[in-house]
Amino acid sequence: MNLNQIHNVYFIGIGGIGMSALARYFKFLGKKVAGYDKTETELTKTLQLLGMNIHFEDAIHAIPADWTPENTLVIITPAIPAHHSEWNYFKENKFTIQKRAEVLGLITKDTFCFAVAGTHGKTTTSSILGHILYEAGVDVTAFLGGIVENYNSNLIGNGKTVTVVEADEFDRSFLHLHPNLACITSMDADHLDIYGDKAAIEATFVEFADKIKDKKALFIPKELPLEGMTVAIEDEASFTAFNIRIQQGVYVFDVKTPTETIKDIRFNLPGRHNLMNALMALAMAKTYGSPTDKIVKALGTFNGIKRRFSYQIKHDKLVFIDDYAHHPTEINAVHQAVRELYPQDKVLAVFQPHLFSRTSDFADDFAKSLAQFDEVILLDIYPARELPMEGITSDWLLAKIQNNQKQLVSKNDLITAVLKSKARIIVTIGAGDIGDLVNPLKKRLYEKIS
């Protein structure tokens, strides 16, 4: 397919974080963009303000009448149900229908592609990398899985020659991409509903790594069993961060590269996992040829991503942080960052498990990671695309958590439960609709401390 011949792009699931980035991209290219989503959100409202025609009812009559199979590309979300009438209309009328990953494959085939893979850290690493390249004057477009604070968008730039994409392992989507330079941040077990076991997901990452023929263009943490340029914190590697200190809540560190030592880099995001993400982005940008001074300046001005260790309240009396973590490894990273910044304070974690299958697969690990906090509040499992699984509930998970200060509450009772806590640090964690509770909770917490 030649994307230049497409005049109209229709999205089923346009409000998804990855889908909406593609929608912005095609709008910037001058295409007409429209679509459906089941729920109106702040993100869909933003897209409508950009001139996209969006509706929230599965209705064939809402599809523009003059959009034909000859001039229209239809992009679908993997979560679309088989009975969706609009999808079936497009299939019956022989429209070109592609998944988001397939479209990214088409785009990356015709550009110099940076691909960021890994079970954790994709969005942060690709956002930092996109910011560095954009600030360095590269003709880049970065498609991101989060809203970057610096741009209030999940799309950075509107370049035609260079792309940054998150290489998503879900449903083996990243095998559609055509990367020139890539990294793999981690290969933990996840999506076992798709893969079955850890060996299968690791084999798929190896298949992705094999797309990079020049191993000097593949970047990996030192501990991964792959061939490539290694990246490490305070350990010997191709790129090493060392002399790490915290000054006024900001990381300051040095980096040894194959060609030089870069001194006194400042980086605002807390947590060793974010330091690793920044180092990975630096390594890729440096290898591409971005000037060192531009890289250092961009790292110092990167303000983070919404729902990635996102400060909601930062006050002497109380700190409220919101994070998207939905895997035990990610929860451990949040805990490490909080303890490093606030070692003397009591911490309350509010967690909404995401998917019955993930909760079942990693229940013991979730229990251990959550037990580290001083207090734990659990919400019911967010089902997303799944139906309930017998015996897999938040009550079952709560029983596994070895912590005396734990409770299960409903979303309706959450604010009341949090307000009763004596913890100075409050962290909301999860990838479901817990994000919708952040602003109401923030409002009440501000009232509590004022």
Side-chain angles (χ1 to χ4, degrees), residues 82-101:
H83 59 76
H84 197 278
S85 60
E86 292 186 16
W87 184 27
N88 285 298
Y89 166 83
F90 287 123
K91 285 193 291 186
E92 289 163 7
N93 288 279
K94 296 184 168 47
F95 280 75
T96 299
I97 304 173
Q98 297 203 322
K99 294 180 181 177
R100 170 179 168 272

Side-chain angles (χ1 to χ4, degrees), residues 54-90:
I54 300 173
H55 59 276
F56 304 95
E57 178 189 2
D58 178 13
I60 293 170
H61 65 78
I63 300 168
D66 58 344
W67 288 24
T68 66
E70 291 73 34
N71 63 17
T72 304
L73 169 64
V74 179
I75 304 176
I76 61 169
T77 173
I80 184 173
H83 59 76
H84 197 278
S85 60
E86 292 186 16
W87 184 27
N88 285 298
Y89 166 83
F90 287 123

Side-chain angles (χ1 to χ4, degrees), residues 98-354:
Q98 297 203 322
K99 294 180 181 177
R100 170 179 168 272
E102 293 171 323
V103 177
L104 283 175
L106 289 172
I107 294 170
T108 58
K109 190 175 182 180
D110 296 327
T111 62
F112 186 98
C113 172
F114 292 83
V116 178
T119 39
H120 320 294
K122 288 189 295 293
T123 297
T124 303
T125 303
S126 54
S127 298
I128 297 168
L129 177 60
H131 178 62
I132 291 171
L133 296 175
Y134 183 78
E135 289 293 302
V138 175
D139 182 44
V140 66
T141 297
F143 300 89
L144 308 169
I147 304 298
V148 184
E149 297 282 6
N150 298 66
Y151 306 89
N152 196 31
S153 177
N154 52 351
L155 194 76
I156 297 177
N158 57 354
K160 306 292 192 298
T161 58
V162 177
T163 50
V164 175
V165 297
E166 293 185 34
D168 191 358
E169 74 279 3
F170 176 74
D171 202 19
R172 298 176 170 84
S173 293
F174 58 5
L175 299 181
H176 290 288
L177 301 175
H178 299 273
N180 299 92
L181 215 152
C183 72
I184 298 175
T185 62
S186 52
M187 297 195 313
D188 287 348
D190 200 1
H191 305 300
L192 298 186
D193 54 325
I194 301 290
Y195 288 97
D197 58 28
K198 186 176 182 180
I201 193 169
E202 287 182 350
T204 308
F205 273 110
V206 170
E207 190 176 349
F208 171 77
D210 287 343
K211 285 177 161 284
I212 309 297
K213 302 308 177 190
D214 180 3
K215 295 309 173 187
K216 289 186 177 179
L218 177 65
F219 299 83
I220 54 171
K222 189 175 181 180
E223 65 272 12
L224 290 192
L226 297 169
E227 182 185 353
M229 299 291 281
T230 54
V231 177
I233 294 175
E234 295 178 327
D235 195 5
E236 191 60 37
S238 309
F239 290 81
T240 300
F242 66 102
N243 191 23
I244 300 160
R245 55 267 193 215
I246 296 176
Q247 296 178 358
Q248 298 171 322
V250 173
Y251 276 125
V252 183
F253 59 101
D254 303 336
V255 172
K256 179 188 73 66
T257 80
T259 58
E260 65 179 314
T261 297
I262 309 170
K263 298 276 194 180
D264 298 327
I265 302 169
R266 300 182 70 83
F267 185 64
N268 295 313
L269 273 59
R272 289 294 175 110
H273 62 299
N274 280 324
L275 193 57
M276 188 67 175
N277 294 335
L279 183 59
M280 193 72 78
L282 178 152
M284 296 175 79
K286 185 69 184 162
T287 301
Y288 179 69
S290 298
T292 299
D293 61 331
K294 299 283 189 184
I295 295 172
V296 172
K297 183 179 178 182
L299 286 173
T301 59
F302 184 74
N303 292 331
I305 303 156
K306 290 181 180 176
R307 300 223 62 226
R308 300 315 196 271
F309 210 91
S310 177
Y311 278 101
Q312 304 300 311
I313 298 174
K314 205 172 185 179
H315 190 277
D316 289 344
K317 294 180 182 177
L318 187 141
V319 174
F320 174 23
I321 298 160
D322 180 44
D323 196 276
Y324 186 74
H326 54 283
H327 185 282
T329 301
E330 296 165 351
I331 295 173
N332 287 335
V334 171
H335 179 263
Q336 182 274 323
V338 169
R339 292 295 187 205
E340 187 174 51
L341 289 167
Y342 306 105
Q344 306 302 322
D345 288 298
K346 189 174 185 180
V347 184
L348 163 65
V350 180
F351 178 55
Q352 181 188 48
H354 184 263

Side-chain angles (χ1 to χ4, degrees), residues 418-432:
V418 171
L419 289 173
K420 287 179 180 177
S421 172
K422 298 288 195 296
R424 180 173 169 259
I425 315 299
I426 296 164
V427 188
T428 47
I429 307 170

Side-chain angles (χ1 to χ4, degrees), residues 10-11 13-15 20 23 33-41 43-57 62:
Y10 191 92
F11 290 82
I14 194 168
S20 59
V33 178
Y36 156 87
D37 207 285
K38 64 180 180 180
T39 308
E40 184 178 29
T41 63
L43 194 46
T44 59
K45 290 175 184 174
T46 301
L47 298 181
Q48 287 172 315
L49 289 173
L50 292 173
M52 301 180 204
N53 185 2
I54 300 173
H55 59 276
F56 304 95
E57 178 189 2

